[in-house]
Amino acid sequence: MILSDHFIQQCQALVGVNSVIADQARLRVYECDALSAYRHLPALVVLPETVEQVQAVLRLCSTHQIPVVARGAGTGLAGGALPVERGIVLGLSKMNRILAIDPVNRTATLQPGVRNLAISEAAKAHGLYYAPDPSSQIACSIGGNIAENAGGVHCLKYGLTVHNVHQVKLVTIDGELLTLGGSGLDMPGYDLLALAIGSEGLLGIVVEVTVRLLPLQPQTQVLLAAFASVEQAGAAVAAIIADGLLPAGLELMDNAAIRATEAFVNAGYPINAAAILLCELDGMPEQVTADSARAESILQGNGAIEIRKASDDNQRKRFWAGRKAAFPAVGRIASDYYCMDGTIPRKHLAAVLKQITELADQYQLGVVNVFHAGDGNLHPLILYDANRPDDFAKAETMGGKILELCVAMGGTITGEHGVGTEKIGQMCVQFQAAELQQFHRLKHAFDPRGLLNPGKAIPTLHRCAELGHMHVHHGQLPHPELERF
């Protein structure tokens, strides 16, 4: 649906003519995020540069009942920034300034459009860095990281975004500016900061972030262990954690990922291995030496057929460059792929990997496994050809089965990519009706008219019933006396 000329002119008056996009050719840029299989043209794109402009635009949208979808760098993989009908996309890419770096308190204060990697680049002069490092860190923005609670290869030891943020400033749909969190380790009252992180733009628009910075480690060592089977590699992950070691990163790649990545970046991977583990230890030199020897012993005891140590910092970076380039590398060997994101208890890694292979055989689709093994966060890449009419539908179905397998194993349907549009059906598997109702009540407290990123993350109970994941008795959902939003 086309928005009125009057509304567009009001937006232009608030942010400037050059910061409002209305023509179809330029709107195409914003029709999807990195989950490009789902597309929808926005009615309008508005690009504010200040907090005040964000507040003014949201007040205007609230008055006219216009839905708003916030967008950062567009690197999300779950359709979280997918435009909605008759809605605007509020792009935050122009709000990209580092406002302050405080080396004494080890914090950085940032606008939401600042790139993840740019934080560490700016903090390096002070001997500091920002720990969460998604594979897309060269492009993804801190505002998007907040929305999806992004992780990365070092989240095993240093945590997800939620563990590395002190404060967020959030604008509600009515234009109110909220400050959540603070400069201390804890704040009185409910932990609304943790609530906002990972809320996928459903509660408010992030306009400023204060993150925790960490000192650069004196020494880092990476071990690359090769295995004759993916199951052995999965078992080795569980053994390392069970032994009490806490690597900075512990990543697994199967043979298909190894071969694609090695051809792409020449990372130095053994292309005949069924799987490799990258195990990074960091800290004081003495501790790193002891931990590396301990890890090597555990890996050998769990079937590693070869172990390589990074001989210098350049080789360490090459090992990690391969892992971070795995997704684009797989794009060179498949017409299309569907990247999944689920999490399971580490002890089930070997069993789940075996079942993923069985699902791939059942649906006659290829699968490449690349994931954060240390915290059980799976990223199977399902290979398909969009030119074949049924291929994407099969990939979606297979992906849903993998997520349901994660839930059955005691895990979750997402580790760091969020729910967005992609996993909204599996939310009905993960949660019961009463839990989903509480989510809707929470959303209603911040956004009573449901204008912020509607249709994402939290399914309606009717949708769950239609998907067959929730029982409906005599045409009524459970507890019909309860208010529905």
Side-chain angles (χ1 to χ4, degrees):
M1 182 174 178
I2 300 174
L3 296 175
S4 69
D5 290 340
H6 178 61
F7 179 82
I8 295 173
Q9 290 165 3
Q10 286 180 294
C11 289
Q12 291 172 335
L14 293 174
V15 300
V17 174
N18 293 331
S19 293
V20 175
I21 299 173
D23 61 282
Q24 285 208 2
R26 294 172 66 202
L27 288 174
R28 290 286 174 199
V29 175
Y30 298 88
E31 68 179 353
C32 67
D33 56 17
L35 182 58
S36 57
Y38 301 162
R39 297 170 183 265
H40 193 285
L41 202 67
L44 194 70
V45 173
V46 181
L47 305 171
E49 296 185 43
T50 68
V51 173
E52 292 75 19
Q53 287 180 348
V54 173
Q55 291 176 285
V57 171
L58 289 180
R59 289 191 193 106
L60 180 65
C61 290
S62 179
T63 298
H64 292 274
Q65 301 288 285
I66 303 296
V68 180
V69 175
R71 179 188 171 96
T75 59
L77 288 162
L82 185 71
V84 297
E85 187 175 358
R86 196 179 165 268
I88 75 163
V89 166
L90 191 71
L92 300 166
S93 57
K94 288 188 174 183
M95 299 179 69
N96 58 4
R97 292 173 52 225
I98 296 176
L99 301 175
I101 291 182
D102 183 347
V104 176
N105 290 312
R106 293 180 181 170
T107 63
T109 301
L110 320 151
Q111 290 186 318
V114 172
R115 292 180 304 111
N116 177 288
L117 186 59
I119 306 171
S120 291
E121 290 172 341
K124 187 176 181 180
H126 304 283
L128 303 170
Y129 76 108
Y130 179 61
D133 56 345
S135 294
S136 59
Q137 69 176 151
I138 192 172
C140 67
S141 60
I142 189 64
N145 292 173
I146 294 286
E148 306 300 341
N149 192 21
V153 298
H154 291 100
C155 64
L156 173 61
K157 183 174 182 178
Y158 296 109
L160 300 163
T161 301
V162 70
H163 305 112
N164 290 275
V165 173
H166 288 300
Q167 182 175 281
V168 163
K169 290 188 178 180
L170 196 76
V171 178
T172 70
I173 188 61
D174 294 319
E176 182 182 2
L177 181 63
L178 306 179
T179 300
L180 309 179
S183 58
L185 294 177
D186 196 11
M187 296 293 289
Y190 292 120
D191 190 358
L192 296 179
L193 176 62
L195 175 65
I197 298 173
S199 61
E200 303 195 34
L202 272 70
L203 307 182
I205 308 298
V206 174
V207 292
E208 187 179 299
V209 184
T210 300
V211 301
R212 177 179 70 157
L213 301 176
L214 298 177
L216 293 166
Q217 294 295 334
Q219 185 166 319
T220 303
Q221 177 64 64
V222 175
L223 304 177
L224 186 159
F227 292 85
S229 74
V230 176
E231 290 78 14
Q232 281 182 311
V237 170
I240 286 173
I241 302 300
D243 197 67
L245 274 178
L246 184 58
L250 192 55
E251 302 285 307
L252 190 154
M253 301 169 66
D254 69 6
N255 182 259
I258 294 165
R259 288 180 176 274
T261 301
E262 184 61 20
F264 186 43
V265 297
N266 298 313
Y269 293 166
I271 61 172
N272 293 320
I276 61 169
L277 277 181
L278 291 175
C279 178
E280 179 170 287
L281 294 310
D282 64 4
M284 299 302 294
E286 298 83 359
Q287 188 66 53
V288 171
T289 300
D291 287 349
S292 296
R294 191 168 149 201
E296 190 169 355
S297 176
I298 295 169
L299 293 167
Q300 288 174 337
N302 281 271
I305 55 177
E306 180 185 0
I307 297 176
R308 302 178 184 178
K309 285 185 179 180
S311 57
D312 54 30
D313 198 49
N314 286 332
Q315 188 174 29
R316 178 183 71 84
K317 289 178 179 177
R318 279 206 312 278
F319 283 171
W320 280 122
R323 168 58 186 88
K324 285 183 175 286
F327 287 8
V330 171
R332 300 171 76 237
I333 64 171
S335 300
D336 304 274
Y337 67 78
Y338 188 32
C339 177
M340 300 310 300
D341 165 51
T343 303
I344 59 170
R346 285 179 291 258
K347 64 182 179 180
H348 296 313
L349 274 173
V352 169
L353 287 169
K354 183 173 183 294
Q355 291 187 58
I356 288 174
T357 301
E358 292 171 356
L359 284 169
D361 292 340
Q362 177 185 338
Y363 287 95
Q364 297 183 314
L365 295 171
V367 64
V368 175
N369 288 294
V370 183
F371 54 86
H372 309 312
D375 61 342
N377 186 196
L378 312 176
H379 290 321
L381 309 180
I382 303 169
L383 312 183
Y384 71 97
D385 186 348
N387 294 312
R388 296 176 183 166
D390 298 330
D391 255 25
F392 180 61
K394 288 200 301 182
E396 276 191 302
T397 303
M398 179 180 162
K401 295 293 184 184
I402 292 173
L403 296 178
E404 290 170 23
L405 173 62
C406 290
V407 174
M409 289 290 184
T412 69
I413 63 170
T414 182
E416 57 176 349
H417 292 178
V419 175
T421 303
E422 175 198 34
K423 305 189 188 81
I424 199 162
Q426 280 70 41
M427 283 288 285
C428 305
V429 177
Q430 179 95 61
F431 297 102
Q432 299 299 312
E435 296 166 318
L436 293 174
Q437 286 175 327
Q438 288 297 92
F439 292 159
H440 281 290
R441 289 190 178 100
L442 192 55
K443 161 78 167 164
H444 187 263
F446 281 82
D447 179 21
R449 292 175 297 282
L451 297 176
L452 290 174
N453 215 7
K456 313 289 176 56
I458 311 173
T460 64
L461 300 187
H462 288 288
R463 182 188 184 104
C464 292
E466 289 169 1
L467 289 168
H469 294 311
M470 191 171 291
H471 178 65
V472 178
H473 185 63
H474 294 310
Q476 290 188 324
L477 290 164
H479 307 292
E481 73 280 3
L482 296 177
E483 183 181 2
R484 313 288 179 178
F485 299 112

